[in-house]
Amino acid sequence: MALPSGFARGLQRALSLESVRLDQPTRRSGPSWLLNPRRLEIALTAAAYPGVHLRSASRLLLSPLPSLRFHVERLAGHGLLRTRRLGNRVLLFVPGQFPVWAEPFLAAWEEPLDRRVLILIRDHPGIPRATLRRQIVPDSGILERSLARLHGIGAVRSRGGREGRRFSVTVAWERFERLCHEGRADRLQAFLSLLASEDLHPLLEEMTEDRARVSVDAPRTRIRFSLPLDPLARGPPS
């Protein structure tokens, strides 16, 4: 069946969203902030793409930035979303999924250029700058800005002179990768607990190595979605 009109096509594709009509579920008294379809969209986006920045979320959800900011501020104010400013960008996280020290790494992974640089450096320890330039982008200025960002957050290190520099990922980045691969069950449980706290009655229907199939109660439908559990194992937001 068709999803409620509030759910954007981009999110529907990314998370394999579907909905089934149901009788009005029994709910506790008091407000539930995630019963608002737009706010539920935002929470699902932050869970699937931890570190996604506000503009990317706006494109994915087909939502104007002023409206998105309004809902993000309400969610953050009630402890259902965590925001972090990095440079001129506001990043979105679900509380309890990742420690604060990992957030800059997640933000870098959401950036297509930084992600490509990281993958090459990780897969080819000691890779020369010249090789990175040939394989990434002809504009050395763009590459240098990416390398400076990654060095600044402690994801990569270099040795040698400017033109002869060779790059490797840091111990901190390797720790981050282990966290992503080994912490799937804990992240899923944290998100299910958040949904349960908002009276959405989450149900884990299926779990594979990298994804979980979950359903929740929306106002008039039971919504099913496929949630990525390892940010390093899936692509960036479309």
Side-chain angles (χ1 to χ4, degrees), residues 76-140:
H78 286 81
L80 299 171
L81 196 70
R82 171 176 161 77
T83 61
R84 174 173 180 150
R85 182 169 291 278
L86 196 64
N88 62 351
R89 295 183 170 181
V90 175
L91 313 178
L92 308 181
F93 301 91
V94 171
Q97 284 199 306
F98 286 92
V100 173
W101 66 261
E103 291 177 356
F105 293 159
L106 288 161
W109 194 253
E110 293 301 324
E111 288 295 321
L113 175 60
D114 291 353
R115 178 190 292 230
R116 290 177 61 201
V117 173
L118 276 165
I119 289 173
L120 270 175
I121 294 175
R122 179 195 65 190
D123 294 347
H124 303 87
I127 188 171
R129 176 182 176 278
T131 304
L132 280 173
R133 182 177 176 182
R134 285 196 301 270
Q135 297 195 34
I136 295 293
V137 59
D139 188 327
S140 61

Side-chain angles (χ1 to χ4, degrees), residues 144-190:
E144 285 302 317
R145 287 191 289 275
S146 175
L147 290 170
R149 285 194 298 271
L150 296 175
H151 185 271
I153 64 173
V156 302
R157 57 187 174 85
S158 65
R159 56 184 175 82
R162 177 177 174 80
E163 293 303 318
R165 281 187 297 167
R166 293 178 175 272
F167 295 88
S168 301
V169 295
T170 62
V171 171
W173 178 265
E174 292 171 346
R175 177 189 175 200
F176 168 70
E177 289 206 352
R178 289 193 300 272
L179 174 71
C180 290
H181 299 328
E182 298 171 1
R184 300 180 182 97
D186 291 340
R187 286 193 294 277
L188 175 61
Q189 186 55 53

